[in-house]
Amino acid sequence: MAPTIHLIRHAQGYHNLNIANHALHDPVLTTFGKEQCATLQANFPHHKEIDAVVASPLRRTLQTALYSFDNDIKTKKLKVIGMPELQETSDLPCDTGSDPEELKRDFADLPVDLSAVGKDWNSKRGIWATGADPIRARAKVARTKLAAFKEKNIVVVTHGGFLHFLTEDWSDSGRFFGTGWANTEYRSYNFSDDGECHLIETAESRERRHLKPLDHNDMEQLKRTKSHEAAEQAQKDAVVKPVVHAKA
């Protein structure tokens, strides 16, 4: 049975403060961002069930995972698993990751597993390119990899723009700058049972967001339409560059 995943947008990074800071390469969390992590750790309702922590290998996402799930990582002897497919959508400096050797040096004394982070992961070319089609394909790879985890409750820390591709859900995508997810917002999902690895938000998660639970017909319709809607949105993003290059 595929796991339940708890998707989280990273805490506030320095690039979130103003547009000029988008020129910062792979920025870290602000002091307020670290406070957001403490609040997330205090309020997250599923600590007991968590048995894996996965994050985009950018500094702000790794830090968010480490700060927000510090107790789980220590008591359960977990490591934050860097998954390069979860990186952000744009090729701006703030959304471009650091070289693997630099990350390994910076996180050497911390419980972080960067073994899956290859030397070209931050090239923004090929499978890592910023066009709508490669981002959509990368999101599908990420879902497939997450669905194959043997662990049953997985925290996944990623980015505001990429979360829309990962969930294939574009509702409220303009709520913040380039995303519908607030910093450290979390939502929980199960995988569809049709072998396609679509994500279906849990009833508990939707209730927390004051949305009605999905009934059986809703879920069937959602599974039929997710890929079509994501494809249409991705085509729009390919034309409207600022959306693809959204800050998160």
Side-chain angles (χ1 to χ4, degrees):
M1 183 176 177
T4 295
I5 63 172
H6 307 281
L7 299 181
I8 301 171
R9 184 190 174 198
H10 63 79
Q12 184 192 73
Y14 279 96
H15 67 300
N16 292 133
L17 297 179
N18 54 59
I19 292 177
N21 282 2
H22 295 177
L24 295 173
H25 178 234
D26 195 7
V28 297
L29 298 182
T30 63
T31 298
F32 179 64
K34 294 176 183 177
E35 293 173 0
Q36 289 178 315
C37 291
T39 300
L40 174 60
Q41 179 157 259
N43 295 335
F44 186 75
H46 301 292
H47 283 293
K48 289 183 179 180
E49 295 88 4
I50 295 305
D51 49 9
V53 180
V54 181
S56 158
L58 275 83
R59 286 191 171 92
R60 60 187 181 267
T61 35
L62 292 172
Q63 286 185 320
T64 299
L66 288 166
Y67 289 132
S68 304
F69 296 91
D70 176 63
N71 290 336
D72 299 286
I73 291 167
K74 288 179 178 176
T75 60
K76 301 174 186 179
K77 294 180 169 49
L78 304 177
K79 287 189 175 182
V80 177
I81 301 168
M83 182 180 286
E85 287 82 5
L86 297 172
Q87 67 181 277
E88 184 56 304
T89 58
S90 92
D91 57 2
L92 293 172
C94 62
D95 290 336
T96 302
S98 302
D99 290 340
E101 292 309 312
E102 186 177 352
L103 288 174
K104 289 175 183 177
R105 182 174 63 251
D106 291 349
F107 290 88
D109 298 325
L110 296 169
V112 175
D113 178 358
L114 297 170
S115 59
V117 183
K119 64 180 181 179
D120 67 340
W121 84 280
N122 55 351
S123 67
K124 298 296 184 177
R125 296 191 302 269
I127 61 173
W128 313 114
T130 61
D133 285 341
I135 295 170
R136 193 165 62 248
R138 174 158 58 86
K140 185 175 182 180
V141 171
R143 289 193 300 272
T144 302
K145 286 187 174 183
L146 290 167
F149 269 60
K150 67 180 185 300
E151 291 84 1
K152 295 307 177 188
N153 273 272
I154 305 172
V155 162
V156 178
V157 183
T158 182
H159 306 267
F162 186 68
L163 278 161
H164 291 288
F165 284 90
L166 188 63
T167 61
E168 303 170 283
D169 180 359
W170 300 91
S171 57
D172 296 325
S173 59
R175 181 178 164 214
F176 302 104
F177 188 60
T179 183
W181 292 64
N183 289 120
T184 64
E185 180 176 348
Y186 59 91
R187 306 177 193 176
S188 301
Y189 294 81
N190 293 319
F191 286 92
S192 61
D193 56 6
D194 57 3
E196 295 297 320
C197 293
H198 297 302
L199 294 176
I200 309 296
E201 189 172 5
T202 67
E204 178 268 338
S205 181
R206 289 180 63 84
E207 183 178 357
R208 187 173 62 245
R209 298 201 296 129
H210 307 292
L211 301 175
K212 74 178 185 69
L214 298 172
D215 61 23
H216 177 75
N217 290 333
D218 290 334
M219 288 191 286
E220 290 302 309
Q221 180 64 24
L222 186 62
K223 285 188 287 187
R224 286 195 295 270
T225 59
K226 265 183 176 286
S227 292
H228 177 69
E229 290 175 352
E232 286 187 341
Q233 183 64 45
Q235 289 172 355
K236 293 177 184 177
D237 291 344
V239 176
V240 186
K241 295 292 184 183
V243 177
V244 172
H245 291 258
K247 296 286 51 62

